[in-house]
Amino acid sequence: RPDFIQYLNTHIDIEDSSIPLFLFCSENIVNLYLDKKGESFKDQVSEFVGEFANEEDLKQASNDKYVFFGNHLFNHYVPLLMSNERLTESFINNVNALGKYANYRNIFSFPFGQPGSCFSQDQVEVLLNAGAKKVFSSSAKVNYNPMSFFLDRVALEATHDSPTKIWFQIFQHRLR
């Protein structure tokens, strides 16, 4: 939204224009903007990305033997902009929301996923201490030790709709 971009430009100091703007969107900045506009977070996000899954959607998906729920934070904010206490709270809130489903796994994947710009190594430890069994980033690295507590994930989108496209996404880092 152009008006949100203008709002960001007046509330943050961006020295490096190569950094994506969403990495500056703290919970505080987003909520101040929405309060000023008289809009709700859920409505604005739904308008941008589509409707959220509802309880019935989750119940239906929980019966699929190929679907598992993991933790991606209750609020999907940039973890690097959150205190450790707020990060833990959002993690626990999501555990409580999804833990009632038999297909929930206590694994965590960082929103946006890029080490250094989206989360810190200290935050990996915070989440492991809060109960996560595995923590995932998205840095296009090979997981040489699948037993590690900290692993890389592969980002899949709707366009990865065939086995060939999925395998290409998994192995594309080796083609570089």
Side-chain angles (χ1 to χ4, degrees):
R1 290 178 60 167
D3 62 320
F4 183 64
I5 302 300
Q6 290 173 340
Y7 182 84
L8 274 177
N9 286 328
T10 62
H11 285 79
I12 57 176
D13 182 27
I14 303 173
E15 295 176 14
D16 184 353
S17 62
S18 69
I19 298 173
L21 280 177
F22 73 86
L23 292 177
F24 296 98
C25 297
S26 68
E27 179 178 11
N28 188 46
I29 286 175
V30 171
N31 287 333
L32 286 172
Y33 168 78
L34 291 173
D35 286 348
K36 181 180 175 186
K37 300 292 278 182
E39 297 172 345
S40 80
F41 180 83
K42 182 180 178 195
D43 290 344
Q44 290 308 303
V45 173
S46 294
E47 184 180 312
F48 183 69
V49 298
E51 288 299 314
F52 290 99
N54 61 34
E55 197 73 26
E56 191 55 41
D57 297 327
L58 295 175
K59 284 179 189 173
Q60 184 176 354
S62 72
N63 293 319
D64 186 321
K65 67 181 181 178
Y66 298 111
V67 173
F68 298 94
F69 298 148
N71 201 318
H72 203 52
L73 291 184
F74 195 74
N75 55 24
H76 207 271
Y77 288 119
V78 178
L80 197 59
L81 300 177
M82 301 170 74
S83 69
N84 288 344
E85 293 76 22
R86 186 73 176 112
L87 176 65
T88 300
E89 178 185 335
S90 184
F91 172 79
I92 297 297
N93 285 345
N94 216 31
V95 168
N96 293 336
L98 296 176
K100 61 187 169 190
Y101 297 100
N103 63 340
Y104 174 74
R105 302 296 182 263
N106 200 4
I107 57 176
F108 177 81
S109 183
F110 279 104
F112 313 110
Q114 297 298 307
S117 61
C118 299
F119 69 92
S120 70
Q121 190 60 40
D122 288 343
Q123 290 177 315
V124 172
E125 295 301 320
V126 166
L127 293 163
L128 290 170
N129 290 334
K133 301 297 182 208
K134 301 267 185 185
V135 175
F136 295 86
S137 70
S138 59
S139 58
K141 292 185 179 177
V142 176
N143 293 314
Y144 290 106
N145 180 5
M147 300 309 292
S148 175
F149 296 110
F150 183 56
L151 298 165
D152 197 57
R153 66 179 163 92
V154 175
L156 296 177
E157 300 172 0
T159 58
H160 301 114
D161 57 0
S162 72
T164 302
K165 290 178 182 179
I166 292 170
W167 282 113
F168 177 78
Q169 185 68 4
I170 292 168
F171 290 110
Q172 74 175 338
H173 66 278
R174 291 184 182 225
L175 302 173
R176 293 181 189 152

